[in-house]
Amino acid sequence: MIGRICGILAAKHPPQVLVDVNGVGYEIDVPMSTFYNLPAVGEKIGLLTHLAIRDDAHLLYGFGSEVERAAFRELLKVSGIGAKTALSVLSGLSVNDLSAAIAAQETGRIIKVPGIGKKTAERMLLELKGKSVFAGAVAGAVAAGAADDVRQALLALGYNERETAETLRQLPADLPVGEAIRQALRLLSRS
């Protein structure tokens, strides 16, 4: 099993990257959350990986953090979810957002991910409920109910999903919605 790849980032073509390791190029599919945090082409990179062996191919999937890889592996255990769909889920939702949706059993957030219908979302919520990967991921983020209100407010103001998710992770957990929005706007105005 290949658990980690370290080398030079040779190319970036979403959702795939090419990592040159001593003259051998590894094609690795990554979720967009990892893709956005990649260094420039030609710089050193290290990715945690998951190797999937099928009859017709050996496929590598890469992740920027252990939590993201663990979430991917849990998603693969859900019946009807394959690697491409699991990457889609992690591209559309951060692990914290997915954890909050699982904790609240909120299908609405999950069906926004391309390729996920209502039945698949319900099955995913049922099978992932209580998994340790998702249980602790929300810690340190704004409380789930308030986070959704803040998220909606920031999106309505024109901020994109990635900016919004990154800002929500920086907010303390015990803030009321109004104060959380004010602090989020202050954080966004600095960037």
Side-chain angles (χ1 to χ4, degrees):
M1 175 76 81
I2 299 172
R4 183 170 179 195
I5 297 279
C6 291
I8 304 296
L9 183 60
K12 300 194 291 190
H13 304 288
Q16 194 172 79
V17 297
L18 180 67
V19 179
D20 183 327
V21 181
N22 297 324
V24 177
Y26 291 91
E27 292 178 342
I28 305 170
D29 286 344
V30 297
M32 295 311 291
S33 53
T34 296
F35 191 86
Y36 291 137
N37 294 315
L38 291 174
V41 172
E43 293 190 26
K44 288 186 177 186
I45 184 174
L47 292 172
L48 297 169
T49 59
H50 175 85
L51 175 64
I53 300 175
R54 300 188 327 209
D55 289 341
D56 60 342
H58 291 210
L59 304 169
L60 265 178
Y61 299 95
F63 307 93
S65 70
E66 181 58 46
V67 170
E68 206 171 39
R69 180 171 67 174
F72 177 80
R73 288 177 171 169
E74 287 299 329
L75 284 165
L76 289 178
K77 294 176 186 175
V78 174
S79 57
I81 302 279
K84 294 291 183 191
T85 305
L87 272 186
S88 251
V89 170
L90 292 175
S91 291
L93 296 169
S94 70
V95 176
N96 282 340
D97 289 342
L98 181 58
S99 298
I102 292 167
Q105 292 293 290
E106 185 182 351
T107 58
R109 195 181 290 185
I110 294 175
I111 60 175
K112 292 178 182 176
V113 175
I116 302 288
K118 187 174 182 189
K119 287 185 179 186
T120 303
E122 289 170 348
R123 186 176 339 104
M124 189 185 325
L125 291 176
L126 180 67
E127 292 185 31
L128 295 176
K129 187 174 185 177
K131 298 290 183 179
S132 61
V133 169
F134 301 108
V138 179
V142 175
D148 195 45
D149 291 341
V150 174
R151 184 176 151 281
Q152 292 299 329
L154 295 177
L155 291 173
L157 290 170
Y159 293 100
N160 67 38
E161 191 71 45
R162 185 171 56 97
E163 291 172 315
T164 301
E166 288 173 11
T167 303
L168 284 174
R169 273 184 241 136
Q170 297 174 37
L171 296 175
D174 57 351
L175 291 178
V177 175
E179 181 59 26
I181 291 171
R182 279 189 284 285
Q183 286 193 22
L185 290 172
R186 270 190 232 122
L187 288 169
L188 287 165
S189 70
R190 292 180 193 155
S191 51

